């Protein structure tokens, strides 16, 4: 199985390193080396190679946060919808399995733990949803009924001192909220993807998968875990979400992991992964000081 990862960002690079360590035949590229956003370029490249799986880890998340998606709608639409849809069409033509790393931020509310069968309530049918979430929903609609797999991750965290890491974000935020959300440990995501690739039914698995650690986390809980290790931000204040100075509304929800559990691919409980990851994060943080 020859795997190509597209996008050398937070998720892509860590996945690549993990798969290589686990002896998978994986390579990674970025848009400077290969213009994978260009249908013809990608087709020419892929048709001459012998990849059996393509994992798209590119996407526009907005910088410093998703509010930027409201201001750069064309870019957001291009990278979150057109590019993955183009890659999927090429994979379909060349009989390559396509995995799109996307987001579970297409639901909001606490009426239930949302399953893959639930129609997104924080996507294109909700005028109040963020543009980022709308593009993630749009992409799922385009990939529907194809052989592609969409990995819906949420609030990714690991032990590194990097801006994309939820734990580091919480440490830096002055205002934190106490709403329950699903989270995805990057280390657990990598193990999940390795197991998925080796799954006996891999080629027959299609559609969205909620790749979240079971349970829920909150910003306040992360601050408490950090506090337990005496790593605190003196300006921390727990505020209501309505007090945050944000442009776009945020998705706050818990996703069900029943589908991945049924496939035997369940991630460890979120509180266990978070506790262990915070401990490693604090160690790393203290080492760089
Ligand atoms: N981080 C999160 O909080 C989060 C949460 C849920 C879901 N996700 C999803 O997971 C996927 C990977 O996210 P990530 O956290 O790895 O994001 P990232 O670190 O920003 O990497 C995304 C990659 O997308 C490409 N890209 C496309 N347009 C870009 C632009 N205008 N600015 C910067 N990069 C651009 C770049 O690929 P090249 O390397 O080829 O240039 C970049 O390396 C995305 O689909 C994202 O929506 C992320």
């Amino acid at each position: 199985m020859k795997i190509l990862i597209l996008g050398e960002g937070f998720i892509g690079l860590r996945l690549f390193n993990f798969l290589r360590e686990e002896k998978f035949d994986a390579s990674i590229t970025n848009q400077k080396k290969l213009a994978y956003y260009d249908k013809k370029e990608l087709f020419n490249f892929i048709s001459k190679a012998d990849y059996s799986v393509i994992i798209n880890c590119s996407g526009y998340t907005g910088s410093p946060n998703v509010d930027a998606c409201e201001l750069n709608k064309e870019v957001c639409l291009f990278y979150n919808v057109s590019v993955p849809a183009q890659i999927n069409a090429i994979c379909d033509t060349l009989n390559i399995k396509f995995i799109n790393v996307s987001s579970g931020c297409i639901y909001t509310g606490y009426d239930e733990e949302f399953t893959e069968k639930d129609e997104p309530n924080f996507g294109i049918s909700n005028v109040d949803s963020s543009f980022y979430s709308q593009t993630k929903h749009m992409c799922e609609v385009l990939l529907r009924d194809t052989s592609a797999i969409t990995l819906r991750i949420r609030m990714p965290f690991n032990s590194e001192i990097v801006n994309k890491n939820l734990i580091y974000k919480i440490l830096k935020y002055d205002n934190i909220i106490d709403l329950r959300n699903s989270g995805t440990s990057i280390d657990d995501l990598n193990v999940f993807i390795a197991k998925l690739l080796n799954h006996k039914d891999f080629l027959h698995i299609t559609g969205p998968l909620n790749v979240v650690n079971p349970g829920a986390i909150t910003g306040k809980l992360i601050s408490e875990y950090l506090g337990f290790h005496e790593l605190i931000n003196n300006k921390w204040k727990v505020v209501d979400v309505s007090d945050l100075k944000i442009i776009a509304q945020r998705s706050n929800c818990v996703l069900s992991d029943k589908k991945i559990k049924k496939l035997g691919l369940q991630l460890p409980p979120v509180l266990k992964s978070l506790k262990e990851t915070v401990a490693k994060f604090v160690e790393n943080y203290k080492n760089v000081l």
Side-chain angles (χ1 to χ4, degrees):
M1 182 190 286
K2 208 170 157 187
I3 303 156
L4 176 64
I5 300 169
L6 301 174
E8 295 186 359
F10 182 47
I11 308 287
L13 275 174
R14 280 144 193 89
L15 175 63
F16 170 68
N17 290 334
F18 179 81
L19 291 181
R20 290 301 293 249
E21 272 167 28
E22 294 295 308
K23 308 288 178 231
F24 280 85
D25 183 359
S27 50
I28 187 167
T29 193
N30 63 43
Q31 56 193 318
K32 278 194 190 136
K33 292 186 234 161
L34 168 71
Y36 58 76
Y37 52 81
D38 183 291
K39 207 173 179 175
K40 269 191 195 157
E41 283 239 10
L42 184 64
F43 184 84
N44 286 340
F45 177 80
I46 301 290
S47 56
K48 285 182 204 132
D50 56 348
Y51 294 109
S52 37
V53 183
I54 292 189
I55 307 179
N56 177 38
C57 291
S58 76
Y60 183 72
T61 54
S63 179
N65 57 45
V66 290
D67 283 342
C69 298
E70 306 296 317
L71 310 169
N72 300 294
K73 288 187 174 167
E74 272 180 48
V75 184
C76 182
L77 190 69
F78 182 66
Y79 282 103
N80 290 352
V81 185
S82 309
V83 171
Q86 280 174 187
I87 303 168
N88 187 42
I90 291 169
C91 288
D92 214 31
T93 307
L94 300 174
N95 207 17
I96 297 168
K97 188 72 173 170
F98 179 51
I99 300 177
N100 192 38
V101 177
S102 189
S103 172
C105 292
I106 51 178
Y107 297 95
T108 200
Y110 296 102
D111 291 344
E112 58 174 315
E113 290 197 357
F114 296 98
T115 73
E116 293 82 349
K117 284 188 181 150
D118 289 313
E119 195 52 37
N121 67 358
F122 198 70
I124 44 183
S125 53
N126 181 346
V127 287
D128 293 325
S129 61
S130 69
F131 192 71
Y132 172 78
S133 294
Q134 290 180 5
T135 61
K136 293 297 182 186
H137 182 195
M138 261 181 251
C139 187
E140 281 204 11
V141 172
L142 286 173
L143 265 50
R144 199 177 278 166
D145 301 325
T146 73
S147 62
I149 299 175
T150 297
L151 304 185
R152 296 171 170 173
I153 63 167
R154 287 219 61 211
M155 306 221 166
F157 60 87
N158 74 356
S159 59
E160 292 173 62
I161 320 297
V162 291
N163 288 333
K164 287 255 164 176
N165 176 10
L166 176 69
I167 298 170
Y168 190 40
K169 285 185 189 178
I170 296 296
L171 180 63
K172 289 187 300 173
Y173 289 156
D174 293 343
N175 295 327
I176 50 178
I177 56 169
D178 194 20
L179 290 176
R180 294 166 64 246
N181 274 295
S182 290
T184 304
S185 146
I186 302 288
D187 291 349
D188 296 338
L189 169 70
N190 290 338
V191 173
F192 168 90
I193 293 176
K195 283 187 186 165
L196 175 68
L197 294 166
N198 283 329
H199 195 282
K200 62 179 176 40
D201 294 326
F202 173 54
L203 293 177
H204 303 291
I205 297 172
T206 61
L209 295 176
N210 294 342
V211 189
V212 294
N213 293 76
I217 52 177
T218 77
K220 183 168 172 265
L221 183 80
I222 296 173
S223 73
E224 287 165 0
Y225 280 14
L226 286 166
F228 177 78
H229 294 277
E230 290 167 14
L231 183 56
I232 57 160
N233 171 350
N234 286 319
K235 293 186 187 157
W236 269 335
K237 197 168 112 191
V238 178
V239 299
D240 192 86
V241 69
S242 59
D243 294 329
L244 296 176
K245 285 191 185 103
I246 48 178
I247 301 173
Q249 291 213 32
R250 302 296 197 261
S251 140
N252 287 294
C253 66
V254 180
L255 300 183
S256 159
D257 74 334
K258 270 190 196 150
K259 189 173 171 184
I260 60 168
K261 194 174 174 187
K262 215 169 160 191
L263 290 166
L265 298 171
Q266 194 185 27
L267 276 58
V270 75
L271 296 187
K272 178 179 184 290
S273 286
L274 182 68
K275 212 173 268 180
E276 289 167 4
T277 311
V278 167
K280 286 185 206 155
F281 173 86
V282 175
E283 214 172 288
N284 290 338
Y285 193 85
K286 289 183 176 166
N287 282 338
V288 297
L289 278 187

